[in-house]
């Protein structure tokens, strides 16, 4: 009996250590992350250049600088004490609640994303095989951004530091005119940065595969149950140990 108790307690301790070690490797969920930083392309007397607005033929219209953009993470939006404008806060938090609803699927949020996933990642893949890595709003402080991006066919390319491996599939979707739309031109530059072509600046979500190195990224549609199962195992083994101890004491005292 003593050997049985020793074995059970050893298993409990081993599982406890496993939980502690595993939890430390988890990537923080999107509500605990800051927004990705814009990459500076150049610097001149007017400031730090981060992109250029171009017309539909690719001709440069304007040069855009870092201080013309405000990036708001979902973390900041959820913090009621932050100085985030209320319209941006409300839109981000409302979208976040929708994304995190257990009945929500990415393929339902952005149906057109499936085609991009199949073309650029794998024919057997769908948008529901992705998880949201970064979720934030980007808005323009300079009037020329709003003016020129409203022109037919004009776009701006912006590069973000998102810390992805060079061979990781990554795509994006943006919230425009009351619905999520896929970003066709999303390029993994192979150095941890991603370049995205926008026709409007708005709420943005970066998505990556929910397997392999990104398996620990919190998915908005699937809860992580691994730690729950481990703790359930610990509780079961503890119950066995208690029962065995009670039986042993009864035999000794009987």
């Amino acid at each position: 009996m003593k050997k049985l108790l020793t074995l059970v307690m050893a298993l409990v301790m081993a599982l406890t250590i496993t939980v502690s070690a595993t939890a430390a490797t988890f990537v923080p969920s999107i509500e605990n992350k800051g927004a990705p930083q814009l990459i500076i392309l150049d610097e001149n007397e007017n400031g730090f250049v981060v992109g250029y607005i171009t017309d539909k033929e690719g001709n440069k219209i304007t040069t855009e600088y870092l201080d013309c953009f405000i990036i708001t993470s979902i973390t900041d939006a959820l913090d009621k004490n932050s100085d985030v404008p209320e319209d941006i806060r409300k839109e981000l938090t409302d979208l976040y609640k929708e994304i995190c609803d257990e009945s929500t699927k990415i393929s339902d949020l952005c149906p057109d994303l499936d085609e991009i996933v199949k073309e650029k990642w794998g024919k057997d893949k769908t948008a529901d095989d992705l998880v949201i890595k970064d979720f934030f709003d980007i808005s323009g402080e300079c009037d020329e951004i709003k003016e020129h991006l409203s022109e037919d066919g004009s776009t701006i390319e912006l590069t973000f530091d998102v810390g992805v491996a060079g061979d990781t599939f990554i795509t994006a979707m943006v919230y425009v005119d009351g619905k999520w739309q896929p970003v066709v031109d999303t390029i993994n530059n192979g150095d941890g940065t991603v370049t995205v072509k926008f026709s409007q600046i708005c709420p943005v979500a970066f998505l990556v595969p929910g397997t392999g190195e990104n398996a620990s990224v919190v998915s908005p549609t699937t809860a992580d149950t691994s730690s729950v199962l481990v703790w359930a195992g610990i509780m079961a083994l503890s119950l066995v140990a208690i029962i065995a101890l009670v039986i042993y004491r009864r035999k000794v005292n009987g």
Side-chain angles (χ1 to χ4, degrees), residues 134-184:
D134 296 284
F135 177 48
F136 58 96
D137 176 83
I138 180 167
S139 56
E141 282 290 281
C142 302
D143 291 337
E144 64 178 18
I145 296 177
K146 301 174 184 178
E147 176 185 351
H148 292 296
L149 275 184
S150 64
E151 297 175 358
D152 183 37
S154 61
T155 59
I156 184 171
E157 283 191 354
L158 297 173
T159 300
F160 300 84
D161 183 1
V162 294
V164 292
D167 59 350
T168 298
F169 170 74
I170 184 168
T171 189
M173 59 183 187
V174 293
Y175 193 75
V176 178
D177 297 330
K179 64 180 181 179
W180 285 103
Q181 300 177 14
V183 179
V184 177

Side-chain angles (χ1 to χ4, degrees), residues 10-86:
L11 288 172
V12 171
M13 290 179 65
L15 282 171
T16 303
I17 293 171
T18 299
V19 170
S20 300
T22 302
T25 65
F26 282 178
V27 176
S29 55
I30 56 177
E31 72 271 15
N32 295 324
K33 297 177 64 177
Q37 299 296 309
L38 281 171
I39 298 297
I40 295 170
L41 306 180
D42 196 5
E43 181 181 3
N44 58 35
E45 65 277 7
N46 295 317
F48 298 106
V49 178
V50 293
Y52 306 93
I53 295 179
T54 59
D55 61 21
K56 59 184 178 182
E57 279 81 32
N59 301 310
K60 187 186 299 183
I61 301 174
T62 64
T63 299
E64 299 305 329
Y65 297 88
L66 183 62
D67 57 4
C68 278
F69 296 92
I70 295 178
I71 299 180
T72 304
S73 69
I74 184 59
T75 304
D76 292 334
L78 292 173
D79 180 3
K80 295 182 179 180
N81 295 319
S82 64
D83 58 356
V84 175
E86 284 306 311

